[in-house]
Amino acid sequence: MTTSPLPLTAETVTVATDQHGRTYAVVPDDVARLLNAASREGINPDARGAFFESARHPADSWTATTVRTIFEAVLTACPELGEDLSSGLGQYRTYDGGDFRGFIVGESAWDADARWWRDYGHHNDLIVMGATIATNDRRSLAGTCTFAC
């Protein structure tokens, strides 16, 4: 189970958009590194293919709690995303489970002025491509967190 010495709060998440209008959740580097590691748990690094899903992180784990905090920060900054049920965050707002299809990125990898990556390819340990919280209708999986790669 992934743990962090510092809990993430919505105030420490910066929500930004890049030059193409895509949403980013910018978090402290230590949080981004731990989420990146969590996103790779259960995935064979030598596997080849188009889609992989990480191991499930329990609903009460640091990983799932941190992802919920990120979801809430994004919804606070972009409330319109919570109004559209076709949006993963709209489903999260309505059904307590859904996904964030944007990027979660560490502060060192993000250039706020340029609204783009800083030294793209040199900070892969600080980048997570979205996250999912399972809905309550998934019974034993409800609230668990996964990442797709």
Side-chain angles (χ1 to χ4, degrees), residues 104-145:
I104 302 168
V105 61
E107 294 166 338
S108 295
W110 182 250
D111 184 334
D113 293 330
R115 293 178 38 219
W116 199 247
W117 303 101
R118 179 177 289 134
D119 285 333
Y120 185 79
H122 294 273
H123 300 287
N124 291 341
D125 64 326
L126 298 176
I127 299 169
V128 180
M129 294 187 286
T132 299
I133 297 290
T135 59
N136 287 333
D137 67 341
R138 304 271 322 261
R139 300 185 196 273
S140 65
L141 302 179
T144 60
C145 176

Side-chain angles (χ1 to χ4, degrees), residues 7-94:
L8 185 70
T9 65
E11 293 77 30
T12 57
V13 177
T14 301
V15 178
T17 56
D18 69 9
Q19 301 164 357
H20 303 287
R22 296 177 293 197
T23 305
Y24 289 72
V26 183
V27 299
D29 287 353
D30 63 335
V31 171
R33 272 191 197 91
L34 290 170
L35 288 176
N36 178 281
S39 75
R40 306 229 178 280
E41 285 180 28
I43 296 174
N44 179 348
D46 298 323
R48 297 171 194 253
F51 177 81
F52 299 98
E53 187 175 62
S54 74
R56 290 201 172 275
H57 300 277
D60 62 350
S61 68
W62 176 88
T63 302
T65 302
T66 299
V67 166
R68 278 192 213 88
T69 299
I70 291 169
F71 283 14
E72 291 298 330
V74 171
L75 284 165
T76 297
C78 306
E80 67 279 3
L81 294 176
E83 297 168 7
D84 180 4
L85 284 180
S86 68
S87 155
L89 288 176
Q91 293 172 15
Y92 174 77
R93 178 59 76 220
T94 303

